[in-house]
Amino acid sequence: MEKRDSFLGLNKRDLNLPETTYVRDIETRVFQGIVAQCLSKIEGIGLIGGGLIDNLLGIESERLKGIFVEQDEKKHSVLIRVELNILYGVSIPEKAEEIQNKVAEEVSAFSGLHVAMVHVVFKSLITNKALLTAPEEEKTEYSQRF
């Protein structure tokens, strides 16, 4: 009881208590999932290595290899690089801008972090002929997207 009574006459500002540190870590796979979800809503593109279904269901595969995330803890920001395939006939500059805006918006909204950069790399061109020779699973996936 004596200890409590000794604080009664003091102002809270006079007490020298250590500051509380709040830490929030977000793993790269979370950012990759956010980006994959965002990209699945954009028509005319596809991730390298196949479709998004396995990624969205959380199945471990190399299909997220086209999404790279680097976090800068000091600046509370992220840098994102996305490697994609693009459908023939789609304007590359317009599609790049659409992707960059949507990815930056969603990652910022969901993570609370600033997106310092969204680097879009178009690796391959998807043509109608490629759709005809693609495996059945990819044909279904691409036809649903385009």
Side-chain angles (χ1 to χ4, degrees), residues 17-67:
L17 298 174
E19 288 188 30
T20 302
T21 303
Y22 299 98
V23 178
R24 173 186 63 217
D25 291 325
I26 303 172
E27 294 288 329
T28 299
R29 297 281 298 166
V30 174
F31 287 110
Q32 289 174 323
I34 293 169
V35 172
Q37 287 282 356
C38 179
L39 294 175
S40 71
K41 300 173 194 171
I42 299 174
E43 294 185 13
I45 59 166
L47 281 176
I48 60 171
L52 295 170
I53 293 176
D54 290 340
N55 299 327
L56 299 177
L57 296 176
I59 298 171
E60 191 68 31
S61 71
E62 293 186 22
R63 292 184 179 169
L64 285 177
K65 68 182 179 179
I67 302 172

Side-chain angles (χ1 to χ4, degrees), residues 12-145:
K12 289 183 181 179
R13 292 182 191 158
D14 293 336
L15 295 175
N16 193 9
L17 298 174
E19 288 188 30
T20 302
T21 303
Y22 299 98
V23 178
R24 173 186 63 217
D25 291 325
I26 303 172
E27 294 288 329
T28 299
R29 297 281 298 166
V30 174
F31 287 110
Q32 289 174 323
I34 293 169
V35 172
Q37 287 282 356
C38 179
L39 294 175
S40 71
K41 300 173 194 171
I42 299 174
E43 294 185 13
I45 59 166
L47 281 176
I48 60 171
L52 295 170
I53 293 176
D54 290 340
N55 299 327
L56 299 177
L57 296 176
I59 298 171
E60 191 68 31
S61 71
E62 293 186 22
R63 292 184 179 169
L64 285 177
K65 68 182 179 179
I67 302 172
F68 304 95
V69 179
E70 184 180 327
Q71 296 184 56
D72 186 343
E73 293 180 20
K74 292 181 182 179
K75 294 182 180 178
H76 301 289
S77 64
V78 292
L79 297 102
I80 299 169
R81 176 184 163 110
V82 182
E83 296 178 350
L84 302 166
N85 299 324
I86 188 164
L87 184 65
Y88 177 78
V90 174
S91 170
I92 293 173
E94 289 175 12
K95 191 55 66 175
E97 185 177 352
E98 178 185 359
I99 293 164
Q100 290 165 326
N101 288 334
K102 287 186 178 183
V103 167
E105 185 179 295
E106 287 198 19
V107 169
S108 290
F110 293 126
S111 70
L113 299 174
H114 171 68
V115 178
M117 179 183 73
V118 178
H119 182 181
V120 178
V121 179
F122 294 104
K123 299 289 269 186
S124 184
L125 189 65
I126 301 168
T127 63
N128 289 333
K129 187 175 181 180
L131 291 177
L132 295 174
T133 60
E136 198 60 37
E137 178 184 342
E138 289 181 22
K139 280 186 196 177
T140 304
E141 198 168 295
Y142 279 120
S143 65
Q144 290 173 352
R145 291 179 51 88

